[in-house]
Amino acid sequence: MFMPVGTQGSVKALDPRELREMGTQIILGNTYHLYIRPGIDIIRQAGGLHKFISWPHPMLTDSGGFQIFSLAKIRKITADGVEFRSHVDGSALFLGPREAMEIQRALGSDIAMVLDECPPHESPPEEMEEAVRRTIEWAERCREQPRLENQQVFGIVQGGSDPQLRERCAKAIVRRGFDGYSIGGVSVGEPESEMLKAIEMTEPFLPAHQPRYAMGLGTPAQIVELVARGVDLFDCVLPTRVARNGTAFTARGTVSIKGGFNKGDLGPIEAGCSCFACQNFSRAYLRHLLNVGEILGLRMLSVHNSHMYLKLMEDVRRHLAAGTFGAFRGEFLANYIPSQKVLLARQELV
Ligand SMILES: [Zn+2]
């Protein structure tokens, strides 16, 4: 399953009707961003995030930890949580396991994530070890917090690129018993080979009958590789982010629709694509829209790219069910040409 990312309570440039039409089953909301703006009180008054953003379907919220460690200015980390300053106005805020779960209750998400400590990938070993210790402790505290009826809670495994730390963290988190397990500390600026290794180190310790979620990943080719390594659930900002740069995902890799070679191309972004953009508009027209700064251009690229990801997951599920995933994987990866620029775009912070 792929979850389009609604960072600020909106999947950028797409409305709920479009998301449903293209087969979205679940979206992700960012606790940190919503906590800072518009604030939890107004969302609580609105009756929760589903109502506030008019998305009556499943929703996962992250704990806010990733953004605190990547965006905010941290003042102090204690056993109870993190003192930090908002990246927007510098105001002093606090988030710990208790607060993270309380906010996610107010948001009313169907799946809440525990608060974890997510250090940068180049952190020294002793900091990685400390982050794992804290991640386990906070997971325990999150587990003790009240949760909404039917609200699931997923644990998160940290440990960087150290196999022993990954194993220790995974076993400790699984022992505490969550509804699903996420592999964190990936998509934090590490090279792709290290990301794949971190997944491979963690996966054997996660129960096969429960969802495994790779946070913040990835490109279409990476997703296929991660499914082959036992991952079930993904979220990534790439489809809508690269759309805003005028880039489209296809089964053969990415293509710049702004490129001059599309000037006279009256064909769709991708032949055979059933998305609204490809059914109605040509590359030449979309290129024109992008060049003159018309909003419709980036909206349609966002439609195509998000549809591409969701359709890819549909194909993956069909091939898994039919027992033909191995052949599908080989063919998909042989055709897909990765782009360095897109790999780098994934690592911009949100
Ligand atoms: Zn399309």
Side-chain angles (χ1 to χ4, degrees):
M1 187 90 72
F2 177 73
M3 297 185 281
V5 180
T7 308
Q8 309 274 8
S10 149
V11 178
K12 288 194 193 305
L14 300 175
D15 70 44
R17 185 179 53 183
E18 290 167 323
L19 288 167
R20 286 302 277 180
E21 275 172 11
M22 62 179 80
T24 306
Q25 298 183 54
I26 174 168
I27 62 170
L28 179 145
N30 279 122
T31 291
Y32 171 86
H33 289 292
L34 296 165
Y35 174 55
I36 289 190
R37 290 181 301 195
I40 298 307
D41 287 347
I42 184 69
I43 296 174
R44 200 182 263 129
Q45 275 172 41
L49 190 57
H50 290 89
K51 290 214 171 97
F52 188 57
I53 70 169
S54 201
W55 178 260
H57 312 290
M59 188 187 292
L60 176 148
T61 47
D62 63 12
S63 65
F66 182 80
Q67 279 78 21
I68 289 178
F69 288 102
S70 57
L71 283 182
K73 284 197 182 64
I74 295 179
R75 297 197 52 241
K76 201 170 155 196
I77 308 178
T78 67
D80 291 328
V82 191
E83 277 175 35
F84 63 99
R85 288 196 178 275
S86 153
H87 75 294
V88 176
D89 61 7
S91 57
L93 298 164
F94 183 85
L95 189 83
R98 200 171 61 84
E99 292 78 11
M101 299 312 285
E102 187 187 338
I103 295 170
Q104 292 181 90
R105 278 200 306 281
L107 294 172
S109 55
D110 303 277
I111 302 173
M113 302 298 301
V114 298
L115 181 68
D116 61 329
E117 180 172 340
C118 183
H121 91 105
E122 68 275 11
S123 304
E126 56 278 13
E127 274 176 35
M128 283 289 181
E129 184 145 7
E130 179 61 15
V132 161
R133 198 190 56 73
R134 191 119 49 200
T135 291
I136 295 168
E137 196 181 299
W138 286 352
E140 176 78 44
R141 294 225 199 158
C142 286
R143 219 186 150 282
E144 292 163 357
Q145 300 301 313
R147 60 175 80 177
L148 296 174
E149 200 188 346
N150 298 326
Q151 189 176 40
Q152 300 203 355
V153 178
F154 281 15
I156 304 179
V157 179
Q158 290 288 343
S161 351
D162 180 332
Q164 272 92 41
L165 270 185
R166 283 275 171 192
E167 176 176 349
R168 196 205 307 162
C169 191
K171 285 182 171 167
I173 298 292
V174 170
R175 204 179 310 126
R176 281 158 177 82
F178 290 94
D179 300 302
Y181 297 94
S182 160
I183 303 167
V186 288
S187 199
V188 288
E190 77 286 18
E192 184 183 69
S193 56
E194 268 192 51
M195 177 276 283
L196 289 172
K197 266 190 245 156
I199 300 279
E200 285 165 5
M201 286 168 198
T202 312
E203 181 275 334
F205 308 104
L206 305 181
H209 63 285
Q210 287 181 288
R212 292 122 164 228
Y213 165 28
M215 297 181 91
L217 293 171
T219 66
Q222 287 172 341
I223 287 181
V224 170
E225 287 288 24
L226 292 172
V227 169
R229 287 162 174 77
V231 179
D232 304 297
L233 187 60
F234 303 90
D235 80 275
C236 194
V237 295
L238 273 182
T240 49
R241 176 174 292 167
V242 307
R244 297 194 301 280
N245 303 330
T247 300
F249 281 105
T250 75
R252 297 186 166 274
T254 48
V255 54
S256 170
I257 297 302
K258 273 186 173 174
F261 57 94
N262 289 313
K263 191 175 180 187
D265 189 341
L266 294 173
I269 299 171
E270 187 167 26
C273 177
S274 59
C275 86
F276 183 82
C278 289
Q279 290 299 305
N280 291 281
F281 304 120
S282 66
R283 285 187 175 204
Y285 177 59
L286 294 170
R287 173 177 181 270
H288 158 70
L289 293 178
L290 293 165
N291 278 342
V292 297
E294 280 292 338
I295 294 166
L296 184 63
L298 55 91
R299 281 209 347 95
M300 287 303 108
L301 257 62
S302 301
V303 165
H304 170 84
N305 284 350
S306 302
H307 178 273
M308 190 274 175
Y309 267 66
L310 293 159
K311 171 75 173 37
L312 171 65
M313 297 316 290
E314 244 178 73
D315 290 345
V316 162
R317 287 193 291 270
R318 198 178 62 249
H319 284 288
L320 285 171
T324 51
F325 177 75
F328 170 78
R329 173 192 179 193
E331 200 182 321
F332 186 87
L333 295 175
N335 287 325
Y336 191 91
I337 303 157
S339 140
Q340 210 49 41
K341 205 173 127 198
V342 168
L343 286 172
L344 291 174
R346 183 171 64 75
Q347 291 164 1
E348 289 164 27
L349 297 174
V350 280

